[in-house]
Amino acid sequence: EFPSLQPVYRDVLSKGGDRIGDLRFSADGAYLAAACWDQTIYLLRIASAPGRARVGRAETQWEVRLHKALTGNSSTPTNVLFSANGAYLKSNSKDGQLLCWSTHDGHRSKSNAAFRDTRWQAPWTLPMGWAAIGVWGDPSYDDTDVKSVCQAYPPDDGYMAMGDDQGRIKLLRFPSPFLDPPCQVCSGHAAFVTKVRFSCENVLATLGGDDSTVMLWSLERTAEDAKAPIRLVHPWTQIDCPAEDPYGFIGAPSFAQQQPQQHAHFADELPTSFSRGPDRIAPPHMEDPEDPWSRVVAAAGGGSASREQGAGRQRAASATPGSRRPPQMQQNQREEPPGDRASDERQAGGGGRPVNPGGRATSSNQSQGVRDALWW
């Protein structure tokens, strides 16, 4: 038993009696947009309410009323599309306008850039827009040669069909933001094609104009679809950079092959290991005799010396400008326990540099470690 078809809403939207060019429901079914030839889009609000029960099932009563009349087109609107959440409505017109409105209050946006990240409902049915740039790749087209496009449903939603004024049906990839993209051309109509639509099972219905023909097409995959995609050549990889440009290799297609040869000299400058032993790489001595702070760095304690001793020596060195002494002199005048200095001199051979009995490096080796760290 089929449900009965009863009229829910009957009204003349256009005061001049102009015809309706396109209809579209929002994704949640709350709105219905009607593009009229009087340059106005009529937005209808749809609400449901539980009705009386008949034969064991409840009937739903629908209430349809005119919500807003969207104006702003300077020509006939031909196609309409809602956003995925139903908050906005976009339209195409015969003169190439692309306008957007808010479905809440009917306010028209003055900038399309505000909708660059907006998700639009599927399937896509606008001939003009970023996702449908490729349908205008034929150089013989003008603004009215493409009247209808339609995106396929999943799992084939990567395809889009279009019909033109020459009676041809073209199948393209979706989205198609490139001019003159590859496509498959099918013929069958004897006149211009006014409308194309995919069913939920991806059966394409095309409506002819003067030939009064309705045709059905099936979407069948071929072995060519399994081929590898065409590699795009980006324009910034074709820029000729001068040889003296140190960053000219960035973006070049052969950068991965040229990188080891162009930058092989960096490997000679890097150490093979970072050890604490005496065979580590020793940087050149960079002490400036005119700069007292360089002597502070050169004589500062490091390595095994405690942080408290190093901080005390720096505070003593920078107490006041008048009483400032070279840090090396302060370091030599520090107090040592009795007997340790004599034993250190005996181990160093009498006249040598004192050696720490514990086997640790003294201040000279400590300052060398600080210089190593600062050099790196």
Side-chain angles (χ1 to χ4, degrees):
E1 180 184 357
F2 288 96
S4 61
L5 296 177
Q6 300 296 330
V8 176
Y9 178 80
R10 182 182 296 174
D11 194 5
V12 179
L13 296 176
S14 175
K15 297 180 179 180
D18 294 289
R19 67 181 66 182
I20 302 297
D22 192 23
L23 290 171
R24 187 68 184 255
F25 282 97
S26 61
D28 56 359
Y31 295 101
L32 173 64
C36 186
W37 281 26
D38 62 356
Q39 303 180 5
T40 305
I41 299 175
Y42 297 95
L43 187 62
L44 305 177
R45 178 76 177 184
I46 303 174
S48 61
R52 59 184 180 179
R54 289 184 54 188
V55 196
R57 67 174 184 270
E59 284 189 352
T60 302
Q61 293 182 353
W62 298 95
E63 179 185 356
V64 182
R65 57 183 176 84
L66 180 61
H67 179 59
K68 295 290 181 180
L70 309 179
T71 59
N73 279 296
S74 58
S75 183
T76 301
T78 56
N79 298 273
V80 290
L81 182 69
F82 284 94
S83 61
N85 57 3
Y88 302 100
L89 177 71
K90 179 188 290 189
S91 73
N92 288 165
S93 60
K94 286 185 177 180
D95 59 353
Q97 279 187 316
L98 206 68
L99 303 182
C100 295
W101 292 269
S102 170
T103 58
H104 176 68
D105 54 3
H107 175 73
R108 181 170 67 89
S109 175
K110 297 182 179 180
S111 174
N112 285 329
F115 302 96
R116 58 180 301 175
D117 297 326
T118 303
R119 293 181 60 251
W120 300 96
Q121 68 180 144
W124 179 277
T125 56
L126 296 182
M128 297 180 183
W130 174 85
I133 293 177
V135 305
W136 302 96
D138 195 326
S140 63
Y141 285 169
D142 58 18
D143 293 345
T144 61
D145 277 337
V146 180
K147 293 182 171 59
S148 180
V149 302
C150 186
Q151 177 192 5
Y153 285 86
D156 297 320
D157 53 348
Y159 295 95
M160 175 177 57
M162 56 160 285
D164 59 12
D165 280 359
Q166 301 177 16
R168 298 177 299 182
I169 306 296
K170 293 184 178 181
L171 186 65
L172 305 92
R173 299 282 184 179
F174 182 86
S176 183
F178 308 104
L179 288 175
D180 196 17
C183 65
Q184 181 180 358
V185 182
C186 303
S187 301
H189 287 279
F192 56 88
V193 180
T194 59
K195 191 72 70 174
V196 295
R197 284 293 182 270
F198 273 104
S199 68
C200 295
E201 297 182 355
N202 287 331
V203 176
L204 179 66
T206 60
L207 178 63
D210 293 341
D211 60 353
S212 304
T213 304
V214 176
M215 301 187 67
L216 299 179
W217 310 76
S218 62
L219 185 60
E220 297 180 357
R221 292 183 175 271
T222 60
E224 296 182 356
D225 294 338
K227 293 183 178 180
I230 301 176
R231 185 177 181 84
L232 297 178
V233 179
H234 301 286
W236 55 83
T237 62
Q238 307 300 318
I239 300 177
D240 294 332
C241 298
E244 61 274 7
D245 187 0
Y247 303 103
F249 61 88
I250 298 178
S254 58
F255 170 63
Q257 291 78 14
Q258 296 176 1
Q259 184 178 9
Q261 289 77 15
Q262 291 181 354
H263 306 280
H265 61 279
F266 288 141
D268 299 332
E269 300 177 4
L270 296 177
T272 57
S273 63
F274 296 92
S275 61
R276 296 175 179 264
D279 58 342
R280 62 172 179 255
I281 297 177
H285 183 64
M286 295 182 295
E287 181 178 347
D288 187 1
E290 302 297 331
D291 186 8
W293 286 105
S294 64
R295 295 194 298 272
V296 172
V297 174
S304 60
S306 63
R307 297 183 179 180
E308 291 79 2
Q309 295 176 357
R313 287 192 297 271
Q314 292 183 7
R315 286 193 298 268
S318 58
T320 58
S323 61
R324 190 170 177 176
R325 295 182 179 181
Q328 187 65 34
M329 295 176 60
Q330 297 179 9
Q331 191 175 17
N332 295 337
Q333 295 173 0
R334 65 182 179 182
E335 297 181 0
E336 296 181 358
D340 288 350
R341 185 177 181 85
S343 61
D344 292 346
E345 292 178 355
R346 286 194 300 271
Q347 294 181 13
R353 184 170 295 175
V355 179
N356 194 317
R360 298 180 181 179
T362 57
S363 59
S364 60
N365 290 335
Q366 295 169 5
S367 61
Q368 179 71 19
V370 173
R371 287 197 299 271
D372 291 359
L374 293 177
W375 185 81
W376 281 114

